[in-house]
Amino acid sequence: MRLGGEISEEERKEEEEVGTTAFSTGECCGQNKVVVGYALTSKKKNSFLQPKLTTLARNKGIYFVAIDLNKPLLEQGPFDIVLHKLSGEEWHEIIEDYRQKHPEVNVLDPPDAIQHLHNRQSMLQVVVDLNLSDCHGKVGIPRQLVITKEKNPSEIPYEVSKAGMKLPLVAKPLLVDGSAKSHELFLAYDESSLSELEPPLVLQEFVNHGGILFKIYIVGETIKVVRRFSLPNISKRELSKVAGVFRFPRVSCAAASADDADLDPSIAEHPPRPLLERLAKELRHRLGLCLFNIDMIREYGTTDVFYVIDINYFPGYGKMPEYEHIFTDFLLSLVQCKIKMKPAT
């Protein structure tokens, strides 16, 4: 089950030793123990499986055991939960086969459900279909245009003009495959420069939002909101003086939190809780996912007009306050739910 070297051989051996120790001592096999098999990239493992999380988990009877990607998954375990974030069709088939043959195991999350978030067009179409316009605020997506890979870059300015799109435009790759390139973002100030972009991509009208983005973390039914600094407002005067396409950082996962900054309350105030609860509930149901986050902005000058600009599967929970307690409680709730649903013998 070699998947392109997602985890180095040295790390695999180290993790295998940890997993073997846990099982051989009987710690993972006792009553009320929860075994979580995980298949994560090295980067995700380092950011998520921090010592504070694993220590708290063990105190609660939760044991994280690395899945050996060089051995058949069906021969490993037993697991109560499988936690995964690997890309590629081969892994998709492996984990789907495992789900079919082990329905008693909670797989977070089903690969077919995750696929919805690998395409920015289908990802945001789910939000459009919700039609949340009367729930303590209005939630939509920025006006957008999809440029397919068949299009020649020289045709992009014409397509934008034909669609009546307003500048500036945010350009994002259409496909989200976990690579650094799939998270490249550009800001285009004039139509002629759009021909510098490489399809397939999504163009979104830039919405002034006071330079603040809300990252809404979802862990099962738990919602946690974190403010992050984002791109500042763009004035008509600035737009008239600037031309070209500029690459900018992936601001939604920047380390700089805006939670403790001295901000205008009209910009800093979190979206209404009832709105977030309705949005999270609907997306969990429609996407079939438990672990994701929503990147949301509030239109500058309004109090209740919000836009979802991205949805990410299994985001950087290590940057979410109290994630250790939230995540371990969630894992325990999954197992307890399974026990309650198990028919009596």
Side-chain angles (χ1 to χ4, degrees):
M1 191 169 62
R2 188 175 298 277
L3 300 175
E6 290 280 5
I7 298 177
S8 70
E9 185 66 17
E10 182 178 346
E11 289 173 322
R12 184 194 65 75
K13 288 180 179 178
E14 177 184 340
E15 292 174 349
E16 186 177 25
E17 289 173 4
V18 173
T20 302
T21 301
F23 278 106
S24 63
T25 58
E27 290 179 315
C28 287
C29 301
Q31 190 175 6
N32 298 325
K33 301 297 182 182
V34 177
V35 183
V36 180
Y38 67 89
L40 306 172
T41 62
S42 298
K43 181 179 179 181
K44 178 60 67 174
K45 185 202 74 169
N46 291 335
S47 67
F48 177 71
L49 290 177
Q50 297 178 21
K52 192 173 180 180
L53 171 66
T54 55
T55 300
L56 178 64
R58 286 217 167 202
N59 290 338
K60 293 183 176 183
I62 302 170
Y63 294 82
F64 291 99
V65 177
I67 290 173
D68 189 339
L69 301 182
N70 297 303
K71 297 179 180 178
L73 180 55
L74 290 170
E75 296 178 6
Q76 301 182 59
F79 303 120
D80 297 294
I81 297 169
V82 169
L83 194 63
H84 70 104
K85 189 175 184 181
L86 295 178
S87 59
E89 190 61 33
E90 183 181 354
W91 174 253
H92 182 121
E93 293 174 0
I94 289 169
I95 197 67
E96 184 59 38
D97 180 58
Y98 182 85
R99 283 184 69 239
Q100 297 297 325
K101 294 177 179 176
H102 285 282
E104 77 283 0
V105 178
N106 286 287
V107 175
L108 300 174
D109 272 313
D112 287 339
I114 298 171
Q115 285 293 111
H116 289 292
L117 302 189
H118 287 173
N119 182 299
R120 286 193 164 93
Q121 182 180 21
S122 62
M123 170 203 303
L124 296 183
Q125 184 58 44
V126 177
V127 179
V128 175
D129 294 341
L130 294 181
N131 190 28
L132 293 183
S133 58
D134 188 24
C135 183
H136 301 273
K138 179 180 179 180
V139 179
I141 67 171
R143 191 178 180 195
Q144 66 179 29
L145 175 67
V146 175
I147 305 295
T148 63
K149 64 181 180 181
E150 290 77 21
K151 291 289 182 182
N152 189 301
S154 63
E155 299 178 69
I156 299 178
Y158 169 74
E159 295 294 333
V160 167
S161 178
K162 184 174 70 172
M165 300 280 283
K166 296 179 181 179
L167 295 164
L169 297 176
V170 178
K172 307 176 182 181
L174 176 62
L175 303 180
V176 184
D177 58 10
S179 67
K181 186 174 182 179
S182 70
H183 293 293
E184 288 182 344
L185 306 178
F186 299 87
L187 192 61
Y189 282 87
D190 66 289
E191 285 186 6
S192 60
S193 297
L194 291 169
S195 57
E196 300 174 17
L197 299 171
E198 181 183 350
L201 52 86
V202 172
L203 299 174
Q204 292 179 344
E205 290 185 346
F206 180 81
V207 177
N208 280 336
H209 52 282
I212 294 296
L213 176 144
F214 301 100
K215 287 196 78 71
I216 303 159
Y217 292 96
I218 311 296
V219 182
E221 296 184 4
T222 300
I223 302 169
K224 196 80 172 179
V225 183
V226 176
R227 284 190 297 260
R228 295 278 174 82
F229 287 112
S230 180
L231 295 178
N233 291 346
I234 299 174
S235 66
K236 292 183 179 179
R237 182 178 180 182
E238 179 184 354
L239 185 59
S240 66
K241 291 184 176 182
V242 181
V245 174
F246 299 89
R247 185 178 184 277
F248 58 90
R250 190 184 174 195
V251 293
S252 66
C253 55
S257 170
D259 280 339
D260 299 323
D262 185 15
L263 301 169
D264 182 336
S266 64
I267 296 174
E269 184 180 2
H270 284 184
R273 191 71 186 184
L275 177 68
L276 295 182
E277 290 174 352
R278 170 82 181 279
L279 176 62
K281 180 180 179 180
E282 292 286 351
L283 288 179
R284 281 199 309 269
H285 174 70
R286 291 173 181 252
L287 293 172
L289 297 172
C290 294
L291 306 177
F292 60 98
N293 89 281
I294 306 162
D295 289 345
M296 177 185 282
I297 58 175
R298 174 192 285 111
E299 185 173 359
Y300 185 71
T302 74
T303 59
D304 60 355
V305 179
F306 300 93
Y307 293 92
V308 173
I309 58 175
D310 238 332
I311 305 176
N312 306 289
Y313 172 66
F314 201 154
Y317 286 117
K319 298 175 183 177
M320 180 179 76
E322 302 176 343
Y323 93 100
E324 305 92 347
H325 293 275
I326 291 172
F327 216 95
T328 50
D329 286 347
F330 167 66
L331 294 176
L332 289 176
S333 71
L334 287 180
V335 176
Q336 290 166 359
C337 183
K338 282 280 188 180
I339 293 174
K340 289 178 181 179
M341 294 175 62
K342 187 179 294 184
T345 57

